[in-house]
Amino acid sequence: MGTYLDLYFVGKQFYQFPHRPFPEIFSINIAFTLVGLPVLIFVYLWCITQVTKWGRIGILLFVSLLMPILEKLAEVLGWFDHSDEWKHLYTFFGYLIFLTIVSIINSWMEKRVK
């Protein structure tokens, strides 16, 4: 889901990844897609299984708020550029929705296994 959204937003020229692996092949940062995002999701899922319902909500909000900050850091480092139309609030809500879906699927799968 994250990869498709990156492809969509890069295609619409909302943002770009100036420094990325294999730029002649991929218009998105494939390293983040294949390594960064899975590691983030693994850590996120581990954390939410260790806390109560309110703790899960807190972690969800914390990570969603952290992502625009990390996005801003990526801009400073030259890994990410966005158009004037891009708002970092989009990142917050995007990750909020994405991580909520991941949490729901994880919870559903845990119930199926038990």
Side-chain angles (χ1 to χ4, degrees):
M1 182 169 35
T3 303
Y4 288 120
L5 286 172
D6 272 349
L7 287 168
Y8 175 79
F9 287 125
V10 167
K12 293 289 185 181
Q13 298 180 349
F14 279 106
Y15 57 76
Q16 63 179 339
F17 301 95
H19 301 289
R20 62 188 184 275
F22 310 110
E24 61 281 347
I25 300 171
F26 299 107
S27 60
I28 62 172
N29 188 338
I30 199 73
F32 179 73
T33 301
L34 294 177
V35 178
L37 201 53
V39 168
L40 170 72
I41 296 304
F42 177 76
V43 171
Y44 170 75
L45 289 175
W46 181 82
C47 288
I48 66 169
T49 61
Q50 306 300 310
V51 296
T52 65
K53 177 183 178 181
W54 289 107
R56 287 190 294 271
I57 293 169
I59 291 170
L60 171 68
L61 289 173
F62 174 75
V63 173
S64 297
L65 286 169
L66 183 64
M67 294 313 287
I69 295 167
L70 294 176
E71 184 177 78
K72 202 72 169 136
L73 176 63
E75 286 178 34
V76 170
L77 296 172
W79 298 342
F80 180 79
D81 278 330
H82 62 83
S83 71
D84 293 335
E85 299 166 16
W86 183 255
K87 307 287 184 247
H88 293 288
L89 194 60
Y90 300 160
T91 302
F92 167 75
F93 284 113
Y95 274 96
L96 184 68
I97 293 166
F98 174 67
L99 293 173
T100 299
I101 292 168
V102 167
S103 299
I104 290 168
I105 291 170
N106 183 62
S107 176
W108 177 67
M109 292 301 288
E110 282 181 341
K111 288 177 186 174
R112 285 194 66 192
V113 170
K114 292 178 183 179

